Amino acid sequence: LREMIDARVTGTPMALDRRLIEAYRTLLRDKSLDKAMVALMLALPTEAYLSEEMDVIHVQAIHDVRREIRIELAAALTAEFAQCVKDNRVIEPYQPEPAQIAQRSLKNMALAYLSLVDEPTYIDAIYRQATEADNMTDVHSALVALVNSPLASAQAPAGEALALFYQRWQDEPLAVNLWLQIQAGAMVPGALEKVQALLGHDAFDIRNPNKVRSLIGGFCGVNAVNFHRPDGAGYRFLADRIIELNGLNPQIAARQATPLTRWRKYPTTLAEQMKAELKRLLDTPELSPDVYEVVSKSLKD
């Protein structure tokens, strides 16, 4: 995967090694294997992990290559993933015990791949799990799959499932924070605009540190492809929020600055925009000592 990312950066894309597809096929078909282990082996390295392995973080290349590999795997192994979901549905009442946990993990991993297949049957199955499951693990996994699906056919079900989730759990703070976090982490176009809209939602309160971490931290710290937009809008968004938080909760404001302080790891075009926002923060009147310390240290040569 690292070689494919490097090749994308240099403009010489590589094809997916078919051996990976066959390895996944073997994992999905071998019923003797431990289900929890198979679920972990089917998961590609995260974008955050891949970023840590690179001297210079090419955000778009990492995102594109990982997404394309997942789409190719889903297309080649649709039947196997569908059978995996069928075989690992938990019929018994929910119990937080190892066998059920393993089944849910494997089933939800397969559903995540099926969310990339343009077939209404699979999107409908994910939607039904998101709105009808009897446990938060399954609900959360299905919601994440829906909101991250690049398919146009998934947009309406994702929006409806999110609305139903909020309607059901709006009086539960932890569930609402999860609801904000899921949307903040959606690696699809328009995520920044969605997060900006959520700032005005009744569910969000910038004076509440947990909600700040869920929405603003969830976007800027996790959703790399949208935070590191080439136009710098993600950086401006974060700097604006830090300025707002500076007068409300300087400690939280300082912690939110972390994504900008890593500017040295990114290509020059992005790094310069990140530095510009850090310098704008330094010029903020009445900047708190907490924010000043983090920002000024990050700019020292």
Side-chain angles (χ1 to χ4, degrees), residues 19-66:
R19 289 177 297 179
L20 180 61
I21 294 175
E22 294 310 314
Y24 270 48
R25 195 187 309 277
T26 299
L27 287 171
L28 288 163
R29 289 182 174 180
D30 190 342
K31 302 299 190 294
S32 68
L33 298 174
D34 179 81
K35 295 178 187 295
M37 178 193 72
V38 173
L40 289 172
M41 293 180 72
L42 291 173
L44 293 177
T46 65
E47 294 186 17
Y49 176 84
L50 292 168
S51 295
E52 291 300 319
E53 294 295 303
M54 302 186 73
D55 295 328
V56 178
I57 303 173
H58 294 276
V59 179
Q60 194 68 50
I62 292 171
H63 175 75
D64 289 346
V65 168
R66 188 178 183 278

Side-chain angles (χ1 to χ4, degrees), residues 166-181:
Y166 182 73
Q167 181 181 338
R168 180 180 181 184
W169 299 104
Q170 60 185 301
D171 294 325
E172 298 290 338
L174 293 178
V176 171
N177 291 343
L178 183 63
W179 182 77
L180 292 170
Q181 189 177 52

Side-chain angles (χ1 to χ4, degrees), residues 266-285:
Y266 294 89
T268 302
T269 52
L270 296 180
E272 290 301 319
Q273 293 182 84
M274 296 168 82
K275 285 173 62 179
E277 294 305 323
L278 288 167
K279 291 174 181 176
R280 179 161 73 93
L281 288 172
L282 279 184
D283 291 337
T284 300

Side-chain angles (χ1 to χ4, degrees), residues 38-281:
V38 173
L40 289 172
M41 293 180 72
L42 291 173
L44 293 177
T46 65
E47 294 186 17
Y49 176 84
L50 292 168
S51 295
E52 291 300 319
E53 294 295 303
M54 302 186 73
D55 295 328
V56 178
I57 303 173
H58 294 276
V59 179
Q60 194 68 50
I62 292 171
H63 175 75
D64 289 346
V65 168
R66 188 178 183 278
R67 180 194 58 197
E68 290 164 13
I69 290 174
R70 293 182 71 241
I71 290 172
E72 190 167 346
L73 288 168
L77 301 168
T78 300
E80 285 83 357
F81 282 124
Q83 188 63 44
C84 182
V85 171
K86 183 178 179 181
D87 292 344
N88 289 284
R89 285 199 175 96
V90 179
I91 301 174
E92 298 82 8
Y94 173 83
Q95 291 291 333
E97 51 90 20
Q100 280 199 16
I101 292 171
Q103 278 187 263
R104 280 189 290 271
S105 296
L106 184 51
K107 176 198 65 178
N108 289 328
M109 180 59 66
L111 274 180
Y113 278 99
L114 290 177
S115 72
L116 307 173
V117 179
D118 198 0
E119 166 55 55
T121 301
Y122 302 135
I123 295 300
D124 182 62
I126 299 169
Y127 170 80
R128 282 187 283 108
Q129 178 171 305
T131 56
E132 299 174 10
D134 66 352
N135 63 89
M136 192 61 78
T137 298
D138 279 347
V139 170
H140 174 258
S141 296
L143 271 177
V144 169
L146 275 180
V147 302
N148 281 281
S149 174
L151 302 175
S153 59
Q155 293 181 10
E160 186 176 340
L162 285 166
L164 289 171
F165 183 97
Y166 182 73
Q167 181 181 338
R168 180 180 181 184
W169 299 104
Q170 60 185 301
D171 294 325
E172 298 290 338
L174 293 178
V176 171
N177 291 343
L178 183 63
W179 182 77
L180 292 170
Q181 189 177 52
I182 289 169
Q183 295 173 88
M187 296 184 185
V188 293
L192 174 57
E193 288 73 17
K194 178 68 173 179
V195 169
Q196 289 172 320
L198 285 169
L199 292 175
H201 195 282
D202 290 343
F204 182 75
D205 181 359
I206 200 166
R207 294 175 177 81
N208 184 316
N210 288 330
K211 294 189 184 300
V212 169
R213 282 189 283 265
S214 296
L215 185 61
I216 300 172
F219 176 76
C220 301
V222 177
N223 198 339
V225 72
N226 284 298
F227 175 62
H228 294 283
R229 277 174 33 166
D231 63 2
Y235 307 148
R236 290 191 294 275
F237 167 79
L238 178 54
D240 287 342
R241 302 291 75 74
I242 292 170
I243 291 170
E244 186 176 2
L245 285 162
N246 179 68
L248 299 172
N249 191 327
Q251 292 79 24
I252 293 296
R255 290 175 191 148
Q256 294 304 308
T258 300
L260 288 173
T261 65
R262 296 172 176 157
W263 58 270
R264 288 181 175 84
K265 289 279 288 181
Y266 294 89
T268 302
T269 52
L270 296 180
E272 290 301 319
Q273 293 182 84
M274 296 168 82
K275 285 173 62 179
E277 294 305 323
L278 288 167
K279 291 174 181 176
R280 179 161 73 93
L281 288 172

